[in-house]
């Protein structure tokens, strides 16, 4: 077999010689040539043709092998090195196939003509490669050995893909792997009519996490590449149950404009990736990045992955797919919780408590409070009560008493003429929201001097940012830092936040949601003499309640701090925090106060007011005023910031 390195380029004379050498046996009289030699000569001719065309550099082949090219310029030479994201020797036919796409291409051509049989034959294992190479080299399939591939035929019958839909389940703050949301693909069958979703398959990429790994271990391994990642294909209705009904996440579905050939090319390539391990990194080579690679396989002319070097946040990849012209519409699939909130909100305010009362296991379904209502409202109240029971069953599981009460509610509903369910208003689709990265320019003054500040946030959204396209009450800030320059001092690091996550979900009779916050990193703390940079981990938990268009909340906070000004190397502080998140015609605002008492007896009281002013989707101003009463510092601070969001 001809050997070829990853960046080899043959001179025209060498190519001609290879072609002549490969083609010469085929010019002989067939009677004087064995079938084995004839096949070998034909393979060599195909290999020479592939070399002449430099097919290993073609985008279609690079995509099928999931190769990443890196270029180094060391004058007077320019070297290109390749490395596949696939971390599994089973995916390659050549020993050096993971780093030499040319060698792998030649080995693949030879493999298609090998005399082995069964599902391990390269024709069975790599049908997408076979299809692509046949198109590029006009391979005569009649000269190939006839191979039966029962497992691949079974796959084709099961995943009979005709069209593809991009799926975006909204973020889930209580799950480290899904706090930024998630993306997967839905493969719709050739014929399913209105029931096609029940017959469709979901394509998901995720880390292969062994049982017993906790969230801290997952975070470490997920960030450092300690887990292998795999594609999993399973019935889509299972994903609906998982995201929509169990985790109560809204789902956005985006039909893609892939042609039939492009859709089937993707489906065929997925067979090649069955049980194959990839490198997995939480922020970069994650679920969303791998789906972009699948779309590049389906449509080789597009470039989707190149812009995602530092992070591949799911909603950013959705925007990238939209910019590339793949998306032709969207469909909103609300979660059970969203449906329930819409049902209760549609009831008159004076009876909104009734559904929760009737959802209790011992409730009287013929209570005078229900019977006095018009028939249509009776039906709506009972329907909402039934959905509350379903919601609680999805969270806590079914038991005999709840199943009995659920049946009683259904029986009561059957006595009324059926009515259409309350439609959930479709919110702004998430890809229309602001970009994930943020640059902040600030001018302010504290007790001593004026200052200028430059801030950067890697991701993603804070409670006061423009809420257009985002879920209310969810904050995820990752990789934030700022540097400050006082007019009479040098430039210094002001703060570095590794993570700042805040879930502010209002509690009511139906949703007994806990509000919580956790954040940590480095920040400066004011004293009268200096502003030391301290390390801390802070957090708190409590409850919030809806008030008008915003919410009020109360948390019990705890903080562990390393500060050279304190008595101990590490000191713990605890105390309450009260706040009001509100909305007005300008944007969102917050008023809050907190009190912390350290184990070394130091006390800190903070009060602040912030107002965000939305200028455009990716532009805003923010005003902040604060007052601090510390044991060794008392003073006020004012600032005005300009925020620019970008990708």
């Amino acid at each position: 077999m001809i050997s070829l390195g990853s960046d080899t380029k043959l001179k025209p004379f060498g190519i001609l010689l290879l072609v002549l050498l490969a083609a010469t046996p085929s010019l002989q009289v067939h009677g004087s040539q064995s079938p084995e030699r004839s096949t070998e000569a034909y393979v060599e001719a195909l290999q020479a043709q592939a070399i002449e065309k430099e097919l290993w550099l073609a985008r279609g082949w690079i995509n099928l092998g999931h190769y990443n090219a890196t270029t180094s310029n060391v004058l007077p030479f320019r070297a290109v090195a390749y490395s596949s994201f696939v971390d599994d020797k089973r995916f390659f036919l050549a020993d050096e196939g993971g780093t030499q796409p040319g060698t792998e291409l030649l080995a693949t051509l030879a493999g298609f003509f090998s005399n082995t049989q069964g599902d391990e034959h390269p024709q069975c294992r790599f049908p997408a490669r076979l299809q692509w190479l046949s198109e590029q080299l006009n391979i005569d399939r009649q000269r190939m050995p006839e191979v039966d591939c029962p497992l691949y035929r079974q796959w084709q019958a099961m995943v009979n893909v005709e069209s593809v839909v991009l799926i975006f389940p909204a973020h889930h703050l209580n799950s480290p792997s899904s706090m930024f949301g998630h993306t997967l693909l839905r493969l719709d069958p050739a014929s399913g009519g209105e029931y096609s979703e029940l017959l469709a398959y979901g394509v998901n990429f995720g880390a292969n996490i062994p049982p017993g790994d906790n969230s801290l271990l997952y975070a470490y391994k997920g960030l450092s590449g300690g887990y292998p990642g795999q594609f999993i294909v399973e019935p889509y209705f299972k994903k609906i149950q998982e995201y929509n009904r169990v985790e109560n996440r809204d789902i956005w579905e985006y039909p893609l404009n892939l042609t039939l050939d492009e859709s089937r090319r993707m489906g065929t390539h997925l067979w090649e990736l069955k049980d194959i391990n990839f490198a997995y990194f939480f922020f970069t080579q994650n679920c969303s990045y791998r789906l972009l690679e699948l779309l590049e396989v389906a449509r080789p002319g597009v470039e989707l992955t190149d812009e995602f070097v530092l992070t591949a946040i799911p909603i950013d990849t959705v925007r990238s797919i939209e910019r590339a012209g793949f998306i032709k519409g969207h469909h909103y699939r609300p979660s059970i919780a969203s449906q329930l909130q819409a049902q209760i909100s549609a009831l008159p305010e004076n009876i909104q408590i009734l559904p929760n009362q009737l959802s209790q296991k011992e409730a009287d379904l013929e209570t005078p409070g229900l019977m006095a209502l018009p028939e249509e409202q009776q039906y709506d109240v009972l329907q909402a009560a039934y959905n509350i029971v379903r919601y609680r069953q999805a969270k806590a599981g079914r038991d005999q008493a709840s199943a009995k009460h659920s049946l009683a509610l259904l029986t009561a509903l059957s006595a009324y003429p059926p009515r259409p369910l309350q439609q959930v208003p479709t919110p702004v689709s998430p890809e229309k929201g602001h970009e994930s990265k943020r640059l902040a320019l600030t001018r302010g003054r504290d007790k001593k001097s004026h200052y200028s500040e430059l801030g950067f946030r890697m991701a993603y959204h804070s409670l006061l940012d423009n809420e257009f396209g985002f879920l209310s009450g969810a904050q995820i800030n990752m990789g934030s830092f700022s540097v400050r320059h006082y007019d009479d001092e040098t430039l210094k690091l002001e703060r570095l936040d590794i993570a700042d996550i805040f879930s502010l979900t209002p509690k009511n009779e139906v949703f007994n949601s806990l509000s919580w916050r956790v954040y940590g990193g480095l920040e400066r703390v004011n004293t009268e003499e200096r502003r030391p940079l301290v390390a801390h981990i802070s957090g708190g938990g409590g409850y919030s309640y809806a008030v008008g268009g915003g919410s009020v909340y109360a948390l019990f906070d705890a903080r562990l701090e390393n500060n050279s000004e304190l008595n101990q190397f590490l000191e713990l502080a605890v105390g309450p925090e009260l706040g009001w998140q509100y909305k007005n015609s300008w944007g969102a605002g917050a008023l809050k106060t907190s009190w912390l008492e350290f184990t070394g007896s130091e006390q800190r009281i903070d009060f602040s007011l912030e107002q965000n002013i939305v200028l455009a989707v990716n532009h805003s101003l923010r005003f902040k005023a604060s007052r601090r009463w510390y044991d060794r510092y008392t003073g006020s601070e004012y600032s005005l910031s300009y925020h620019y969001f970008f990708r």
Side-chain angles (χ1 to χ4, degrees):
M1 186 186 75
I2 304 169
S3 179
L4 186 66
S6 62
D7 56 353
T8 303
K9 291 189 176 181
L10 299 180
K11 295 180 179 180
F13 178 80
I15 295 174
L16 179 61
L17 179 61
L18 283 172
V19 173
L20 290 174
L21 287 173
T24 298
S26 65
L27 299 176
Q28 300 175 4
V29 179
H30 288 291
S32 62
Q33 185 180 26
S34 68
E36 291 80 6
R37 179 55 193 157
S38 176
T39 299
E40 182 180 344
Y42 184 64
V43 172
E44 289 179 353
L46 291 174
Q47 291 174 328
Q49 187 181 352
I51 293 171
E52 181 181 15
K53 292 184 174 182
E54 297 185 334
L55 285 184
W56 70 94
L57 299 178
R59 196 67 206 177
W61 182 255
I62 294 297
N63 292 342
L64 286 170
H66 297 265
Y67 290 104
N68 181 45
T70 55
T71 303
S72 59
N73 291 298
V74 182
L75 295 176
F77 303 104
R78 180 177 182 271
V80 179
Y82 292 93
S83 178
S84 176
F85 290 125
V86 176
D87 191 18
D88 198 319
K89 292 183 178 180
R90 296 172 298 165
F91 187 69
F92 305 103
L93 294 177
D95 291 340
E96 306 85 10
T99 56
Q100 297 190 9
T103 303
E104 181 65 17
L105 187 149
L106 299 183
T108 301
L109 281 172
F112 288 152
F113 289 85
S114 64
N115 291 321
T116 59
Q117 288 292 324
D119 289 302
E120 289 303 308
H121 193 283
Q123 290 185 36
C124 302
R125 290 174 56 196
F126 301 109
R129 294 189 193 182
L130 176 58
Q131 177 185 353
W132 187 82
L133 287 169
S134 296
E135 293 170 354
Q136 304 303 312
L137 298 173
N138 195 24
I139 296 175
D140 183 359
R141 296 285 191 98
Q142 299 298 320
R143 303 189 68 165
M144 284 185 175
E146 190 173 328
V147 182
D148 184 34
C149 308
L151 290 180
Y152 177 56
R153 283 190 284 105
Q154 182 181 354
W155 165 270
Q156 283 184 306
M158 180 183 76
V159 185
N160 185 18
V161 57
E162 183 176 77
S163 59
V164 180
V165 180
L166 173 67
I167 308 298
F168 176 75
H171 56 249
H172 184 44
L173 292 185
N174 291 325
S175 172
S177 63
S178 299
M179 66 172 60
F180 290 101
H182 183 54
T183 53
L184 62 151
L185 296 174
R186 191 182 80 206
L187 308 181
D188 287 354
S191 60
E194 60 179 317
Y195 303 108
S196 61
E197 293 174 2
L198 299 178
L199 303 174
Y201 281 83
V203 179
N204 183 60
F205 180 85
N208 191 356
I209 305 172
D213 281 12
N214 57 36
S215 296
L216 290 177
L217 191 57
Y218 169 80
Y220 170 73
K221 287 187 175 181
L223 292 172
S224 62
Y227 291 120
Q230 287 186 352
F231 283 98
I232 299 174
V233 179
E234 60 183 337
Y236 180 61
F237 73 84
K238 290 186 177 180
K239 308 309 293 182
I240 294 177
Q241 290 175 338
E242 176 185 350
Y243 298 131
N244 223 194
R245 301 173 187 173
V246 177
E247 296 180 354
N248 279 299
R249 299 163 68 179
D250 294 338
I251 295 176
W252 290 88
E253 301 171 333
Y254 301 90
L256 304 180
N257 61 5
L258 295 179
T259 66
L260 180 60
D261 287 343
E262 290 171 338
S263 299
R264 290 183 175 172
R265 184 183 299 124
M266 177 191 292
T268 303
H269 182 56
L270 279 167
W271 165 257
E272 299 178 337
L273 302 178
K274 186 175 182 293
D275 299 325
I276 295 297
N277 292 324
F278 282 74
Y280 177 87
F281 292 87
F282 180 71
F283 282 117
T284 53
Q285 299 173 39
N286 54 22
C287 62
S288 298
Y289 189 90
R290 293 285 169 251
L291 295 192
L292 295 180
E293 290 185 317
L294 288 183
L295 292 176
E296 290 179 338
V297 167
R299 188 174 290 173
V302 302
E303 297 282 351
L304 296 173
T305 57
D306 290 354
E307 67 178 277
F308 297 101
V309 178
L310 296 177
T311 60
I313 296 173
I315 193 58
D316 289 344
T317 64
V318 174
R319 295 187 183 111
S320 175
I321 294 168
E322 182 185 45
R323 287 193 297 269
F326 279 87
I327 294 176
K328 60 182 183 180
H330 66 256
H331 173 253
Y332 172 60
R333 188 186 292 273
S335 66
I336 291 180
S338 295
Q339 295 176 43
L340 190 50
Q341 287 173 335
Q343 281 184 297
I344 294 175
S345 298
L347 295 172
E349 189 172 349
N350 63 320
I351 63 170
Q352 288 183 1
I353 196 173
L354 261 182
N356 183 58
Q357 294 174 345
L358 295 178
S359 69
Q360 306 304 316
K361 297 173 184 178
E362 304 300 326
D364 178 10
L365 300 186
E366 296 185 356
T367 177
L370 176 66
M371 295 295 102
L373 299 176
E375 186 176 276
E376 291 182 352
Q377 287 186 1
Q378 292 180 32
Y379 181 91
D380 292 342
V381 168
L382 288 170
Q383 182 69 58
Y386 172 70
N387 286 337
I388 292 174
V389 174
R390 287 181 59 219
Y391 169 79
R392 289 172 178 160
Q393 288 174 341
K395 299 285 284 184
R398 291 173 64 91
D399 57 49
Q400 187 174 359
S402 64
K404 181 179 178 181
H405 189 58
S406 178
L407 179 60
L409 285 166
L410 279 177
T411 303
L413 280 167
S414 66
Y416 296 84
R419 280 170 47 79
L421 289 175
Q422 176 66 37
Q423 293 298 308
V424 181
T426 301
V428 177
S429 54
E431 79 280 4
K432 303 301 182 184
H434 65 72
E435 300 286 353
S436 295
K437 296 181 179 64
R438 187 183 73 189
L439 185 69
L441 302 174
T442 303
R443 183 66 178 169
R445 176 177 177 82
D446 65 8
K447 182 178 180 178
K448 294 183 177 181
S449 176
H450 290 90
Y451 63 83
S452 300
E453 189 170 302
L454 173 66
F456 171 78
R457 183 187 69 193
M458 181 65 69
Y460 160 70
H461 177 74
S462 72
L463 291 177
L464 297 189
D465 288 341
N466 187 359
E467 201 175 65
F468 189 80
F470 287 84
L471 291 181
S472 178
Q475 171 175 294
I476 308 172
N477 290 329
M478 304 289 286
S480 304
F481 73 89
S482 62
V483 291
R484 180 178 290 190
H485 177 263
Y486 281 96
D487 291 354
D488 55 354
E489 289 185 12
T490 58
L491 187 70
K492 293 182 179 179
L493 177 67
E494 180 66 18
R495 66 183 304 122
L496 170 64
D497 292 332
I498 298 172
D500 184 354
I501 305 170
F502 198 171
S503 177
L504 198 60
T505 307
K507 170 183 168 63
N508 56 35
E509 294 82 2
V510 177
F511 302 101
N512 188 26
S513 303
L514 180 72
S515 292
W516 56 272
R517 184 184 186 188
V518 59
Y519 62 108
L522 305 174
E523 65 181 20
R524 294 201 177 270
V525 174
N526 291 72
T527 67
E528 291 294 347
E529 301 299 327
R530 53 194 296 265
R531 302 177 67 248
L533 188 66
V534 308
H536 74 100
I537 299 176
S538 305
Y543 291 98
S544 65
Y545 299 87
V547 175
S551 59
V552 295
Y553 65 90
L555 305 180
F556 184 78
D557 292 341
R559 178 183 176 97
L560 192 63
E561 181 175 301
N562 168 246
N563 184 345
S564 59
E565 299 285 319
L566 298 178
N567 297 327
Q568 304 295 324
F569 177 76
L570 283 176
E571 284 201 20
L572 175 67
V574 295
E577 177 183 339
L578 302 175
W580 174 35
Q581 297 278 336
Y582 62 87
K583 300 174 187 177
N584 54 30
S585 58
W586 291 342
L591 184 68
K592 75 171 186 177
T593 183
S594 63
W595 175 78
L596 285 175
E597 171 109 22
F598 283 80
T599 51
S601 75
E602 177 169 332
Q603 293 185 354
R604 295 178 189 168
I605 300 175
D606 287 89
F607 176 85
S608 66
L609 168 66
E610 289 187 81
Q611 174 66 55
N612 193 63
I613 303 171
V614 176
L615 304 177
V617 172
N618 290 312
H619 303 268
S620 67
L621 295 175
R622 186 169 301 180
F623 169 76
K624 181 177 182 179
S626 61
R627 178 76 176 175
R628 300 181 178 93
W629 295 272
Y630 296 176
D631 281 0
R632 285 171 283 183
Y633 178 83
T634 300
S636 301
E637 185 173 341
Y638 309 91
S639 66
L640 180 65
S641 304
Y642 165 69
H643 291 179
Y644 171 61
F645 300 84
F646 63 100
R647 66 175 187 264

